[in-house]
Amino acid sequence: RIASDEPLYLTARERFEQRRRAAGASLPQRVELLRAEGAALEERAMRQQAERPSDLAAAAGARLKRAYRMSSGGGVPWVVDEHASWYKPHERARYSCVNCSGDVVPEKDLVGCWPLWPQFGPDELEFRCVRRWTSDPGEQAPHKYMQGRAPLPCWRTCWTPLKSPGAERCTAACPSAESAEPAVEWRARWDAELHSFKERDGTARDVERATGFIRRLPNSDFFWSVY
């Protein structure tokens, strides 16, 4: 993987730097602002790490559980102790995130607004987030989508202010079960659009040629697999 990934990364990095230098003063300034924001986020995370979990929970109005239980990924359950010492405060965006105390493995923690990763902290404690799904996104059932009429799982995310009363703010609603496009039809349309894009876009053709040495997986179920 290093032999393939490293050249691609270095090439992309060099092209980015070339464009940054050619863009004049505005882009470098924006890049520096982004880096400064990242440093400020890390500083807030370190400060939050030093706070007591009970104080953070009180600020969010959350009640930590000794045995938080969640099941996704085809019904595979996990149970975690939210009071455990290894649950670091700066990794606990779940204080204002419903059902976000799950496994750190992405395909096992799809039901919440974000997985239990440090880059999703610190918790700003301004909104409580909840994500609602039309079906279990972690269910390992590729043939249900490949051979049936089932639509892909759809989510809607809503945020409710924590500190002051206010209406929840939500992303677009999911289509109804009757109007949702079957997953197999969506995939066929997506493939056609991707092929058309590659045909007319020069950069897409360049990427196709540059990555032509990568062998495709022989598993036709892969796209439909949660893994």
Side-chain angles (χ1 to χ4, degrees), residues 62 111 120 128 130 140 145 157 204 213:
V111 292
F120 289 92
R128 177 169 287 110
V130 60
Q140 175 63 3
Y145 301 106
T157 306
F213 64 91

Side-chain angles (χ1 to χ4, degrees), residues 12-178:
R13 180 73 190 189
E14 178 58 29
R15 290 183 179 179
F16 170 79
E17 293 296 342
Q18 290 174 0
R19 293 186 178 184
R20 187 174 70 89
R21 290 191 293 267
S26 61
L27 184 58
Q29 290 173 354
R30 287 156 57 193
V31 170
E32 289 307 314
L33 286 174
L34 184 61
R35 288 172 175 165
E37 286 293 326
L41 177 66
E42 177 69 13
E43 183 182 354
R44 290 199 303 274
M46 291 300 100
R47 287 201 306 268
Q48 196 173 88
Q49 185 177 9
E51 296 186 39
R52 293 191 303 173
S54 57
D55 292 340
L56 294 171
R63 183 177 179 181
L64 302 185
K65 300 177 183 178
R66 289 291 180 186
Y68 176 96
R69 187 179 185 89
M70 176 54 62
S71 179
S72 186
V76 179
W78 59 78
V79 181
V80 297
D81 179 2
E82 294 186 310
H83 292 269
S85 59
W86 59 268
Y87 251 145
K88 300 176 182 177
H90 75 298
E91 296 178 356
R92 290 189 226 191
R94 72 183 185 287
Y95 283 124
S96 57
C97 177
V98 179
N99 292 340
C100 285
S101 291
D103 200 297
V104 296
V105 181
E107 63 268 17
K108 294 290 189 181
D109 192 23
L110 295 167
V111 292
C113 294
W114 45 74
L116 190 66
W117 292 349
Q119 61 262 43
F120 289 92
D123 193 328
E124 302 297 345
L125 303 179
E126 295 182 6
F127 294 91
R128 177 169 287 110
C129 181
V130 60
R131 178 167 290 168
R132 303 179 181 93
W133 290 84
T134 56
S135 59
D136 183 358
E139 183 182 10
Q140 175 63 3
H143 293 284
K144 181 176 74 172
Y145 301 106
M146 295 175 65
Q147 301 172 0
R149 302 288 296 172
L152 289 174
C154 174
W155 72 84
R156 190 182 195 197
T157 306
C158 296
W159 296 266
T160 304
L162 277 174
K163 299 178 182 178
S164 59
E168 65 177 10
R169 308 173 187 178
C170 298
T171 57
C174 291
S176 64
E178 296 75 20

